């Protein structure tokens, strides 16, 4: 016996359709029909769809009548049997043989019985839910489905306009669909439901994509969005469906011109809660001021400026749902932080029936959800990156309703904040969006009058905005404002450290003069002049390092002699910085590597000999023979002021190498080992310095370690931790060298906002102590100037 694929011709006379087999002769067929296997199948009765057709008369009449009674199935009037597709089970077949096996199977028969019992409720066209893309058997089942949580959540997440939501049974007309599918090689469809189910199915859509990809037959086919050569159809398919390609397409899709309604911003109660967190009274006061006019909010660090911005964004977005909002920051890491805050605070908000779409754009880390940028409600990015988006047409300034500037005190000179305001806000003829600035230190000069003028200039640069400060709820603000007064400690260099510091300064000044002779327009390029000085200050040292690493080194890569000399000077400057911030041991370690790497080459090519006194100090130094004044004082402050169970200490330095060296020193110290805790290092990601920087991923993982509060209690950081970065409240803040300006002072002190926190600044000489006193007086001038601005504004209104 064998299985047969057909029932015509000679084989039909020996074919048993009950068991779907062909016998060699009619006698064999008769014997087969008396076998237990055949009889077991024929006893299934009315629940099976069987056909027994024997044309040679080998089966008696009783068997034929029995078989005929079994050929009639109650669902025959509902659908026609087809050898390619079963509409009840939604299964396709490759031929008659698998079709026959399927139709006689228990699974099909069970579904056919259910299909028959529900047939009286079926309507002529498919009962279809266009939101969930599913079919229901009855109208009643569809109504129950539409009341289910799954359907309701799908409607809320639907991208279409609520006014255009179609709740009909069928989203499209089956008459618009072809009667065959050439993509999947299906000639006919057995029913309307089969046709609709096929064209809306995932298999058809995948085949359609693959067929379109298969047209890429030329090796020179190219993806312009990603600048990738597509050599084969399979590579093209994988690439075009990859997240990176979708992200690049989203970032390069041009924003179309839109006919938008005028910007409408008025102070009124909103139908939805503004933010997830309940704002404080002073935050509500500043939010109301920001809604009424373009404003720069002046509020201390750690008192909730970002929440106020989220409240304003929520308000403006609800009143202008078709326009976009952009949140601009100064650094890449702040993009991740601020977008995370906005997503958390606006998670409940729905604009035109759908959740708020927030895109975070920062270098390689793009969170755009595969959608074009102009389709997002809110963009969070750096100002420089947003300038590029505006210039290439990916976004349009005319589509904005609000622009938020984080750390708005940067709106000076040629900063990207200023460029955006000058090139777009002031020049565009279209309706200008609302402006909102956030800052903790808008200005700071040595007199109140100068500070007032500086603050007034900032407001003019910011589109003649108003300054918003807390006036009615000062008592509430004082609860959250840091009360830590700076403790200034003098930690003078010891004799060996002083000798090395003096000799290093002399040598660096000699190198400076050599650079002036070797490089044309060196003074203009670096914007630093050391001609009339014999002592290098901390600020001058930082400027020299920054200008060499960022401006000169990239320009002289081709000239090996000058390039190696610049690297040598940069290394010696780091030695001096390490000496001031850490101590003699770290400085000698770095000095040794610099001399071994470049001193001979510099002497040969630049005719500049190393100071013999520096070499002598280096050779005479023995590791551990001298107590390092800087880190020794740091260990003492940690031991005396640190809460090792629940506290966090922040140590701020100016150089990346100092941060790495101090972190390593602390982790090897007996104090931290005894307390079973560790120090973590946090530096920037730019290209300055020979140390390089941290990637965004490393910065994120470091912040995660800090917030976990597991066994990481000490943070050693550069200026990256001064402003904007979201860190836990600190019990202790130690600054290894005084800050350069009042902005840095205000931002650093804002880190010590935990009640009872200590704020310690280490000074190396009397000049640094005087400088700190000057910065504190400038901070007071900033507050007085802000009050004068408010007073003058009230007089003008009166």
């Amino acid at each position: 016996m064998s299985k047969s694929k057909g029932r015509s011709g000679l084989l039909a006379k020996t074919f048993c359709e009950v068991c779907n087999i062909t016998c060699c002769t009619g006698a064999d067929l008769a014997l087969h029909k008396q076998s237990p296997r055949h009889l077991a199948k024929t006893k299934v009765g009315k629940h099976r769809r069987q056909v027994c057709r024997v044309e040679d008369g080998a089966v008696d009449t009783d068997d034929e009548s029995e078989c005929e009674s079994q050929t009639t199935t109650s669902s025959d009037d509902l659908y026609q049997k087809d050898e390619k597709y079963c509409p009840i089970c939604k299964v396709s077949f490759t031929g008659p043989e698998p079709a026959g096996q399927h139709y006689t199977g228990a699974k099909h028969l069970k579904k056919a019985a259910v299909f028959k019992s529900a047939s009286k409720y079926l309507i002529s066209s498919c009962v279809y839910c266009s939101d969930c893309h599913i079919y229901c058997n009855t109208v009643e089942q569809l109504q129950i489905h539409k009341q289910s949580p799954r359907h309701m959540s799908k409607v809320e997440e639907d991208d279409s306009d609520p006014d255009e939501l179609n709740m009909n049974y069928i989203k499209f007309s089956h008459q618009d669909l072809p009667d065959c599918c050439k993509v999947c090689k299906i000639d006919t469809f057995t029913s309307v439901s089969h046709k609709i189910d096929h064209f809306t199915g995932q298999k058809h859509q995948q085949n359609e994509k693959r067929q379109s990809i298969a047209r890429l037959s030329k090796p020179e086919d190219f993806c312009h969005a990603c600048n990738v050569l597509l050599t084969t159809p399979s590579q093209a398919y994988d690439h075009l469906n990859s997240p990176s390609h979708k992200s690049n397409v989203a970032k390069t899709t041009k924003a179309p011109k839109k006919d938008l309604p005028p910007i409408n911003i008025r102070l009124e109660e909103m139908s939805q809660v503004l933010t997830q967190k309940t704002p404080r009274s002073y935050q509500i006061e500043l939010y109301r001021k920001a809604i009424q006019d373009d404003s720069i909010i002046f509020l201390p660090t750690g008192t909730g400026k970002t929440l106020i911005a989220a409240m304003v964004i929520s308000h403006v977005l609800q009143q202008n749902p078709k326009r976009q909002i952009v949140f601009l920051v100064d650094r890449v890491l702040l993009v991740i932080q601020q977008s995370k805050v906005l997503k958390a605070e606006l998670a409940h908000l729905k604009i035109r029936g759908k959740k708020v779409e927030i895109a975070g754009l920062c270098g390689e880390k793009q969170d755009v959800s595969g959608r074009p940028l102009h389709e997002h409600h809110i963009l969070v990015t750096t100002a420089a990156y947003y300038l590029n988006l505006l210039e290439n047409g990916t976004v349009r300034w005319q589509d904005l309703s609000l622009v938020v500037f984080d750390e708005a005190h940067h709106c000076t000179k040629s900063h990207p904040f200023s460029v955006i305001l000058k090139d777009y806000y002031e020049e565009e003829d279209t309706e200008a969006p609302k402006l909102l600035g956030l800052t903790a230190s808008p200005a700071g000069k040595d007199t109140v009058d100068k500070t007032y003028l500086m603050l007034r200039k900032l407001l003019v640069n910011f589109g003649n905005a108003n300054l918003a400060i807390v006036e009615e709820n000062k008592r509430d603000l004082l609860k959250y404002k840091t009360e830590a007064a700076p403790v200034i400690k003098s930690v003078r260099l010891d004799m060996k450290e002083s000798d090395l510091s003096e000799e290093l300064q002399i040598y660096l000044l000699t190198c400076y003069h050599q650079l002036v002779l070797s490089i044309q327009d060196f003074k203009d390029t670096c914007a630093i002049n050391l001609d009339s000085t014999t002592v290098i200050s901390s600020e001058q040292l930082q400027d020299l390092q920054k200008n060499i690493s960022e401006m000169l080194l990239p320009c002289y890569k081709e000239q090996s002699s000058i390039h190696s000399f610049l690297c040598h000077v940069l290394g010696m400057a780091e030695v001096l910085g390490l000496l001031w911030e850490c101590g003699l041991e770290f400085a000698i370690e770095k000095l040794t590597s610099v001399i071994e790497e470049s001193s001979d080459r510099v002497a040969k090519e630049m005719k500049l000999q190393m100071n013999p006194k520096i070499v002598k100090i280096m050779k005479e130094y023995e590791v551990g023979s001298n107590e390092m004044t800087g880190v020794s004082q740091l260990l003492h402050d940690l031991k005396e002021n640190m809460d090792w169970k629940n506290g966090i200490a922040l140590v701020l330095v100016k150089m990346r190498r100092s941060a790495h060296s101090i972190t390593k020193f602390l982790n090897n110290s007996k104090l931290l080992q005894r307390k079973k805790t560790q120090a973590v290092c946090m530096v920037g990601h730019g290209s300055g310095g020979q140390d390089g920087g941290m990637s965004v991923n490393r910065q994120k993982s470091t912040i995660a370690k800090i917030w976990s509060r597991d066994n990481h209690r000490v943070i050693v950081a550069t200026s990256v931790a001064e402003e904007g970065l979201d860190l836990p409240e600190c019990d202790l803040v130690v600054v290894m060298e005084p800050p350069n300006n009042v902005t840095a002072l205000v931002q650093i002190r804002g880190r010590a906002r935990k009640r009872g926190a200590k704020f310690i600044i280490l000074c190396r000489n009397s000049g640094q102590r005087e400088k700190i006193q000057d910065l504190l007086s400038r901070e007071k001038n900033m507050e007085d100037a802000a009050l004068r601005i408010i007073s003058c504004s009230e007089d003008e209104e009166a």
Side-chain angles (χ1 to χ4, degrees):
M1 300 179 188
S2 62
K3 293 189 176 181
S4 174
K5 294 186 178 180
R7 304 177 189 176
S8 59
L10 295 175
L11 290 178
K13 297 180 181 181
T14 58
F15 181 76
C16 176
E17 295 196 21
V18 175
C19 302
N20 195 28
I21 62 173
T22 302
C23 301
C24 296
T25 64
D28 291 337
L29 180 62
L31 292 174
H32 163 71
K33 290 189 176 182
Q34 296 175 9
S35 65
R37 177 182 176 186
H38 175 81
L39 294 175
K41 288 192 175 182
T42 57
K43 288 180 181 179
V44 175
K46 63 179 180 179
H47 297 295
R48 294 214 170 189
R49 305 183 67 245
Q50 299 174 341
V51 178
C52 290
R53 185 187 302 170
V54 180
E55 298 180 356
D56 60 355
V59 182
D60 56 18
T61 309
D62 294 337
D63 289 335
E64 290 182 17
S65 60
E66 182 182 348
C67 293
E68 274 186 18
S69 66
Q70 295 167 2
T71 59
T72 304
T73 303
S74 58
S75 57
D76 278 345
D77 56 338
L78 300 178
Y79 71 97
Q80 295 180 350
K81 291 184 298 178
D82 187 73
E83 295 181 349
K84 292 186 177 180
Y85 182 79
C86 174
I88 294 180
C89 303
K90 297 181 180 179
V91 176
S92 299
F93 311 116
T94 58
E97 181 181 344
Q101 292 176 352
H102 170 77
Y103 286 128
T104 58
K107 184 177 180 181
H108 168 79
L109 294 174
K110 183 177 179 181
K111 287 191 176 182
V114 176
F115 188 74
K116 176 193 173 185
S117 63
S119 62
K120 60 182 179 179
Y121 298 108
L122 292 176
I123 57 177
S124 57
S125 58
C126 300
V127 184
Y128 180 73
C129 177
S130 59
D131 298 299
C132 303
H133 303 291
I134 63 171
Y135 297 95
C136 298
N137 292 325
T138 65
V139 178
E140 290 81 359
Q141 185 182 4
L142 179 66
Q143 298 300 332
I144 294 173
H145 162 73
K146 288 186 177 180
Q147 297 175 6
S148 65
R150 176 186 175 187
H151 173 80
M152 299 302 294
S153 62
K154 195 72 175 179
V155 171
E156 292 177 355
E157 297 176 0
D158 197 344
D159 291 338
S160 59
D161 194 311
D163 298 334
E164 299 175 357
L165 284 176
N166 185 2
M167 302 301 292
N168 295 331
Y169 297 151
I170 299 178
K171 188 174 181 180
F172 52 83
S173 174
H174 65 86
Q175 298 176 353
D176 298 333
L177 298 175
D179 294 330
C180 63
C181 178
K182 295 182 180 180
V183 176
C184 303
K185 298 180 180 180
I186 297 178
D187 297 331
T188 58
F189 297 101
T190 57
S191 63
V192 174
S193 61
H194 181 196
K195 181 193 298 185
I196 296 176
D197 190 58
H198 171 75
F199 282 107
T200 58
Q202 184 179 5
K203 183 177 180 180
H204 169 77
Q205 294 174 0
Q206 288 180 349
N207 289 338
E208 198 172 38
K209 287 182 180 179
R210 289 184 182 275
Q211 191 179 74
S212 62
I213 298 300
R215 299 192 186 100
L216 294 171
S217 57
K218 298 179 181 179
E220 60 268 21
D221 284 322
F222 191 75
C223 175
H224 295 279
C226 306
N227 293 326
V228 173
L229 184 66
L230 307 175
T231 56
T232 63
S234 59
Q235 181 203 2
Y237 179 78
D238 293 338
H239 171 74
L240 296 179
N241 287 277
S242 64
S244 61
H245 170 77
K246 293 179 180 179
S247 176
N248 289 333
V249 171
K251 293 181 294 182
T252 55
T253 302
K254 304 294 182 182
K257 291 185 179 181
K258 301 177 183 178
D259 185 15
L260 299 175
I263 299 175
N264 176 29
I265 302 176
R266 59 192 183 279
L267 186 60
E268 62 182 18
E269 292 295 328
M270 293 289 100
S271 59
Q272 301 184 64
V273 178
L274 294 176
T275 56
Q276 293 279 60
K277 287 184 180 179
T278 302
R280 302 160 186 160
S281 59
Y282 67 85
Q283 291 173 323
I284 296 176
E285 176 187 343
L286 293 177
Y287 147 75
R288 292 179 176 275
K289 291 180 179 180
I291 291 296
Q292 292 173 345
D293 296 293
D294 292 346
S295 305
I296 293 180
I297 293 178
F298 175 24
L299 201 61
T301 299
T303 51
K305 295 186 290 295
T306 306
L307 182 63
I308 299 172
M311 295 169 67
V312 176
I313 289 172
S314 177
H315 184 111
V316 174
L317 201 55
Q318 291 183 57
Q319 292 185 337
N320 302 269
K322 293 185 177 182
R323 289 182 174 268
Q324 194 174 67
I325 293 175
V326 62
F327 193 110
L328 299 177
V329 298
D330 183 47
R331 285 176 292 167
V332 170
L333 194 58
L334 294 180
V335 173
I336 301 172
Q337 174 184 302
Q338 301 296 45
S339 59
K340 183 178 179 181
V341 172
L342 291 178
K343 286 178 181 179
E345 293 299 334
L346 306 179
H348 67 288
L349 192 63
K350 288 184 172 55
I351 303 299
R352 303 174 69 200
K354 57 184 178 180
K355 294 182 179 180
V356 175
E357 292 279 351
I358 302 176
L361 307 169
C362 56
E364 297 180 356
K365 297 296 176 182
Q366 312 287 342
D367 182 12
V368 296
S369 304
R371 297 167 59 88
L373 294 183
H374 63 83
E375 294 183 5
H376 289 78
H377 296 103
I378 304 170
L379 297 182
V380 183
T381 183
T382 60
Y385 192 87
Y386 191 69
L387 270 174
N388 295 332
L389 296 178
L390 287 171
E391 290 174 1
N392 62 34
T394 307
V395 295
R396 300 175 73 244
W397 181 265
Q398 298 89 335
D399 297 343
L400 298 178
S401 60
L402 171 67
V403 184
V404 182
F405 293 81
D406 195 18
E407 309 299 344
H409 52 268
H410 292 300
C411 288
T412 57
K413 299 180 181 179
S414 59
H415 192 277
F417 283 178
S418 298
V419 176
I420 289 176
L421 291 171
K422 183 178 180 181
D423 292 351
Y424 290 92
Y425 184 80
E426 297 177 3
E427 297 297 330
E428 290 286 343
D429 296 332
T430 56
E431 186 177 12
K434 171 177 277 296
L435 301 181
L436 174 62
L438 310 173
T439 183
S441 51
K445 292 290 184 180
D446 54 358
T447 65
V448 176
D449 292 337
K450 291 181 180 179
T451 306
Y452 172 81
L453 293 175
M454 182 180 179
L455 186 53
R456 174 63 69 183
K457 184 178 180 180
L458 175 64
L459 295 172
V460 171
N461 293 342
F462 205 74
N464 291 313
N466 293 333
L467 186 68
I469 65 173
V470 177
E471 298 177 85
E472 300 173 1
N473 298 277
K474 292 183 179 179
R475 186 170 297 179
D476 186 32
L477 174 61
L478 291 176
K479 298 177 183 178
Y480 305 96
K481 183 179 179 181
T482 178
E483 299 176 353
V487 177
I488 306 172
K489 293 187 176 183
S490 295
V491 185
R492 296 188 177 275
L493 300 174
D494 63 17
M495 184 177 297
K496 290 184 178 179
E497 290 174 338
S498 297
D499 291 342
L500 182 58
S501 173
E502 182 179 347
E503 297 301 331
L504 284 172
Q505 292 181 63
I506 294 173
Y507 181 72
L508 283 174
L509 288 172
T510 305
C511 292
Y512 167 80
H513 294 301
Q514 185 65 36
L515 287 172
V516 172
L517 296 174
S518 303
I519 300 176
Q520 189 176 5
D521 299 328
F522 172 79
K523 295 180 182 179
D524 296 334
T525 304
C526 280
I528 182 173
N529 192 338
L530 301 177
D531 288 339
S532 59
T533 184
T534 57
V535 177
I536 300 177
S537 66
S538 176
E539 294 82 356
Q540 289 173 327
L541 183 66
Q542 276 190 293
D543 290 340
L544 182 64
Q545 289 176 283
K546 181 178 180 181
N547 287 312
I548 289 177
S549 60
E550 294 182 3
M551 300 179 65
L552 294 176
L553 281 176
C555 297
Y556 289 92
K557 285 185 178 180
E558 304 299 329
Q559 301 183 33
S560 59
S561 59
I562 295 180
H563 187 271
S564 60
F565 182 52
L566 289 171
C567 292
H568 174 76
V569 175
L570 191 60
M572 296 301 292
E574 286 189 359
V575 173
L576 183 58
L578 282 169
L579 180 65
W580 288 345
E581 286 192 318
C582 305
L584 186 60
E585 184 174 324
F586 294 152
I588 293 295
E589 181 182 355
K590 174 64 178 177
L591 177 62
T592 304
S593 64
V594 172
I595 291 178
E596 290 177 354
E597 290 174 4
S598 59
S599 61
D600 293 339
R601 186 172 181 180
V602 168
K604 181 179 179 181
E605 297 179 354
M606 304 301 296
K607 309 300 181 184
L608 182 65
Q609 295 294 332
M610 175 63 66
N611 189 327
K613 293 183 179 179
I614 296 177
V615 178
K616 182 181 179 181
I617 294 174
M618 180 188 72
K619 291 181 177 181
E620 291 179 352
Y621 177 78
E622 296 180 7
V623 177
S625 62
N626 188 73
E627 186 177 282
M628 295 179 288
T629 55
V631 292
S632 298
Q633 182 63 45
L634 172 61
L635 279 176
H636 175 76
D637 291 330
L638 288 172
K639 183 178 180 180
E640 295 295 325
N641 302 288
M642 182 63 182
D643 177 9
W644 294 102
K645 290 185 178 180
N646 303 307
I648 294 288
L650 175 63
V651 181
L652 288 167
V653 297
K654 291 186 177 180
M655 296 195 313
R656 291 174 184 165
R657 185 171 292 277
S658 298
H660 291 296
S661 299
I662 291 178
T663 302
K664 182 179 179 181
F665 173 82
L666 291 176
N667 285 329
N668 292 329
S669 66
K670 294 181 179 179
L671 176 62
L672 268 66
Q673 291 177 357
R674 188 168 59 251
K675 299 297 183 180
K676 296 182 180 180
T677 188
Q678 288 183 326
V680 293
C681 182
M682 170 70 72
V683 300
H685 60 85
S687 58
Q690 292 180 327
D691 271 331
M694 295 177 69
S695 65
V696 175
N697 282 337
R698 284 190 61 196
Q699 288 178 331
K700 288 173 63 178
S701 63
T702 301
I703 293 175
K705 289 180 182 178
I706 296 168
W707 277 103
S708 67
R709 300 198 181 194
D710 185 12
N711 62 340
H712 300 87
R713 297 288 176 186
V714 183
I715 310 167
V716 185
T718 57
S719 59
V720 70
E722 286 182 5
E723 63 180 24
L725 199 63
D726 186 21
L727 295 175
E729 294 180 343
C730 299
D731 303 77
L732 175 64
V733 176
V734 180
V735 184
M736 301 301 290
E737 273 206 49
N740 293 338
N741 51 60
V742 66
T743 299
L745 175 66
V746 172
Q747 300 284 2
I748 293 171
R749 184 163 62 179
R751 295 299 181 190
R753 58 180 180 270
K754 193 172 183 178
R755 191 167 299 278
K758 297 290 183 66
F759 176 36
I760 300 173
I761 303 176
L762 305 184
C763 298
R764 292 298 196 172
N765 50 56
S766 58
Q768 290 184 344
R769 177 180 286 271
E770 293 174 359
K771 178 183 177 181
I772 295 173
Q773 297 295 344
D774 176 64
L775 292 179
L776 292 173
S777 66
R778 288 171 183 249
E779 183 184 9
K780 182 65 170 58
N781 294 340
M782 180 174 63
E783 297 173 352
D784 295 340
L787 293 174
R788 184 186 293 185
I789 290 284
I790 299 299
S791 178
C792 292
S793 299
E794 293 175 351
D795 293 340
E796 290 174 1
E797 292 177 0

